[in-house]
């Protein structure tokens, strides 16, 4: 059965993808330096699946070691999750973000070329669309102006991969553009575990629900939306993970370069998410309307029909399930993955 290397596989999306791959009979190797995740995740993945997996605590910037692992583990396909992903932090530390995200990708590609591993699935982001001229967003929309170094790193890496594919059509590239992943495995064993004050909406709501933060700051209620708050395409991380299983399964029959939105095609406003979370958790989420957050767009949601066409994939879970599963994880792990290395 295919052996799949997950760079950054101990992270939020990577760990859920590892579970999905193992459940579908694939062999998984996780390669992660744990800069934004915990070693505890590895045992949680084994506990959920009853399957074993191989883990390397290592940096994608270590090209020689990466090449050694790709050869030794007889890797067929790489899913490249490894990145730093905080929008606000990227504005403070652009050099670290470009070195880690761009440099890490270039290192990975060198190691893949040297070990003749020529299939890569890349964690891209809806952020590469910038401020879309309309919604829903399809993959043929032009890439836009990003508002932060993190977003630009994703956009630049997409171009690098397009160019690699252009120079060698045998180098198969799948760019998966995630919209807004939330939720957690139904077991409550793995989930999103942000460090410090969360940037993103759902983990922030969770901290309020746990009583760790006093209220939610709602960034703007004067957007051109039904209730004035920002609309996003939230996708259950378990749905997102299964999209990767299908990409691995079908990569040999796909075009040598594929760009695919992974989304539900349904947008929810901030206040709709708050209401859904309150219903799922039974917790009141106090909030205050504040000024817009620089760089935010009014609406971002996808036309997800191309994923259905080429992968046979579509999201199964709605916002209620996303909130229920998030809350189960958070209740079971109020301090995330508590371990000495946090
Ligand atoms: P995450 O931070 O939970 O996971 C990223 C993992 O990569 C972490 O385990 C971290 O330790 C590891 N890592 C980072 N730099 C590394 C390096 N140099 N060497 C080895 N490992 C390294 O983030 P996530 O939410 O799981 O996101 C996974 C991928 O999906 C990222 O590339 C992110 O940019 C992308 N993405 C995330 C979202 C989202 O909202 N979560 C949306 C779109 C795209
Ligand atoms: C969602 C909505 C906010 C927090 C970001 C990155 C993107 C990707 C996903 C990595 C918006 C509002 C949020 C809060 C709020 N990450 N909000 N109060 O900005 O759509 O996308 O995460 O790839 O690249 O840009 O997600 O969760 O930050 O915001 O009102 O405390 O919630 O204004 O409308 P976003 P988000």
């Amino acid at each position: 059965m295919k052996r799949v290397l997950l760079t950054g596989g101990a992270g939020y999306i990577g760990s859920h993808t590892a579970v999905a791959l193992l459940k579908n009979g694939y062999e998984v190797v996780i390669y992660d330096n744990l800069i934004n995740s915990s070693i505890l995740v590895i045992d949680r993945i084994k506990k959920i699946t009853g399957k074993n997996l191989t883990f390397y605590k290592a940096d994608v910037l270590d090209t020689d070691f990466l090449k050694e692992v790709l050869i030794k583990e007889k890797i067929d396909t790489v899913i490249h999750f490894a990145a730093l992903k905080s929008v606000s932090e990227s504005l403070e530390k652009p050099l670290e973000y470009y070195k880690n995200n761009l440099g890490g990708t270039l290192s990975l590609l060198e190691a893949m070329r040297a070990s003749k591993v020529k299939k890569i699935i890349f964690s891209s982001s809806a952020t590469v669309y910038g401020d879309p001229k309309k919604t829903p967003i399809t993959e043929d929309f032009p890439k836009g102006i990003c508002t932060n170094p993190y977003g630009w790193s994703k956009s630049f890496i997409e171009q690098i991969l397009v160019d690699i594919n252009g120079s060698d059509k045998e180098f198969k590239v799948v760019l998966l553009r995630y919209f807004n992943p939330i939720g957690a495995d139904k077991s409550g064993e793995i989930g999103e575990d942000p460090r410090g004050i969360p940037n993103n909406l759902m983990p922030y709501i969770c901290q309020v629900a746990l009583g760790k933060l006093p209220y939610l700051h709602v960034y703007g209620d004067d957007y051109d939306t039904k209730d004035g708050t920002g609309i996003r395409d939230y996708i259950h991380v378990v749905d997102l993970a299964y999209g990767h299983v299908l990409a691995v399964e079908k990569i040999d029959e796909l075009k040598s370069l594929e760009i695919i939105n992974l989304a539900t095609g349904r947008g929810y406003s901030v206040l709709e998410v708050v209401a859904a979370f309150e219903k799922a958790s039974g917790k009141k989420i106090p909030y205050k309307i504040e000024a817009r957050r620089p760089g935010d767009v009014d609406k971002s949601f996808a036309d997800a029909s191309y994923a259905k066409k080429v992968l046979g994939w579509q999201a199964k879970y709605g916002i209620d399930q996303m909130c229920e599963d998030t809350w189960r994880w958070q209740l079971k792990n109020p301090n995330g993955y508590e371990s000495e290395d946090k």
Side-chain angles (χ1 to χ4, degrees):
M1 182 49 110
K2 279 183 182 176
R3 292 176 63 80
V4 187
L5 181 104
L6 278 58
T7 72
Y12 172 45
I13 301 172
S15 55
H16 284 84
T17 303
V19 166
L21 285 165
L22 289 166
K23 282 183 174 177
N24 282 274
Y26 291 93
E27 295 183 25
V28 169
V29 176
I30 288 180
Y31 185 103
D32 197 311
N33 67 358
L34 303 181
I35 193 171
N36 196 41
S37 50
S38 167
I39 188 67
L40 300 180
V41 169
I42 304 304
D43 282 342
R44 299 285 182 94
I45 293 169
K46 292 176 182 174
K47 181 178 177 183
I48 295 169
T49 60
K51 302 276 182 76
N52 212 342
L53 72 151
T54 306
F55 171 67
Y56 291 91
K57 180 178 179 181
D59 195 316
V60 288
L61 286 163
D62 185 345
T63 312
D64 291 341
F65 187 62
L66 196 41
K67 176 189 166 189
E68 196 183 306
V69 169
L70 287 165
I71 294 169
K72 177 187 169 199
E73 298 293 346
K74 299 183 175 56
I75 297 301
D76 174 84
T77 302
V78 172
I79 309 181
H80 184 30
F81 293 108
L84 298 175
K85 63 155 183 176
S86 165
V87 168
S88 56
E89 189 183 53
S90 77
L91 289 162
E92 296 159 21
K93 301 178 178 174
L95 179 55
E96 288 76 6
Y97 268 66
Y98 287 130
K99 177 148 177 63
N100 191 73
N101 295 359
L102 282 172
T105 303
L106 292 171
S107 169
L108 169 63
L109 292 169
E110 275 181 59
M112 289 177 71
R113 182 172 62 181
S115 53
K116 297 184 175 35
V117 176
K118 290 191 164 186
K119 298 178 203 171
I120 185 168
I121 296 165
F122 173 61
S123 298
S124 192
S125 166
T127 204
V128 304
Y129 291 111
D131 188 349
K133 55 190 181 310
K134 61 187 172 77
T135 47
I137 299 168
T138 52
E139 289 85 352
D140 60 348
F141 273 28
K143 286 165 69 177
I145 304 293
C146 297
T147 57
N148 56 80
Y150 163 76
W152 279 122
S153 77
K154 288 296 171 183
S155 191
F156 296 154
I157 293 168
E158 283 203 359
Q159 188 56 50
I160 289 168
L161 292 171
V162 166
D163 290 340
I164 297 286
N165 170 265
S167 72
D168 173 5
K169 288 300 179 190
E170 286 179 18
F171 203 104
K172 311 269 300 186
V173 171
V174 179
L175 305 180
L176 297 180
R177 289 175 176 169
Y178 311 159
F179 278 66
N180 290 66
I182 61 173
D185 186 85
K186 290 197 178 322
S187 65
E189 291 293 329
I190 56 175
E192 189 168 11
D193 181 21
R195 305 208 162 172
I197 305 285
N199 269 279
N200 296 134
L201 179 64
M202 185 54 85
Y204 201 104
I205 288 175
C206 285
Q207 303 278 317
V208 173
L210 289 170
K212 294 187 171 190
L213 292 170
Y215 61 88
L216 172 69
H217 306 253
V218 174
Y219 297 135
D221 68 346
D222 58 350
Y223 285 107
D224 177 19
T225 64
K226 62 187 101 170
D227 61 20
T229 63
I231 287 180
R232 297 291 184 275
D233 192 326
Y234 297 95
I235 173 174
H236 199 300
V237 67
V238 170
D239 274 330
L240 188 67
Y242 189 61
H244 291 73
V245 174
L246 291 173
V248 168
E249 184 181 300
K250 297 176 187 282
I251 193 166
D252 291 322
E253 61 204 67
L254 296 175
K255 290 188 308 216
S256 68
L257 170 64
E258 285 284 7
I259 300 175
I260 306 171
N261 288 337
L262 289 186
T264 64
R266 165 77 160 90
Y268 287 96
S269 73
V270 175
L271 294 183
E272 283 177 316
V273 174
V274 169
F277 190 89
E278 289 181 332
K279 190 173 88 178
S281 64
K283 293 282 186 181
K284 186 80 184 122
I285 303 296
Y287 63 85
K288 286 182 183 170
I289 303 291
E290 298 183 1
R292 292 183 175 193
R293 184 172 64 174
D296 275 356
V297 298
D298 295 60
K299 289 189 278 279
S300 170
F301 62 93
D303 174 330
S305 56
Y306 189 63
K308 178 111 173 85
K309 180 173 176 238
V310 290
L311 297 178
W313 174 92
Q314 70 181 51
K316 288 195 297 186
Y317 302 115
I319 194 69
D320 293 336
Q321 195 65 59
M322 293 180 215
C323 291
E324 281 170 34
D325 294 340
T326 300
W327 186 233
R328 187 181 307 107
W329 146 256
Q330 205 65 86
L331 272 184
K332 277 183 84 166
N333 304 273
N335 298 314
Y337 299 106
E338 290 181 280
S339 64
E340 65 290 341
D341 64 358
K342 273 199 86 162

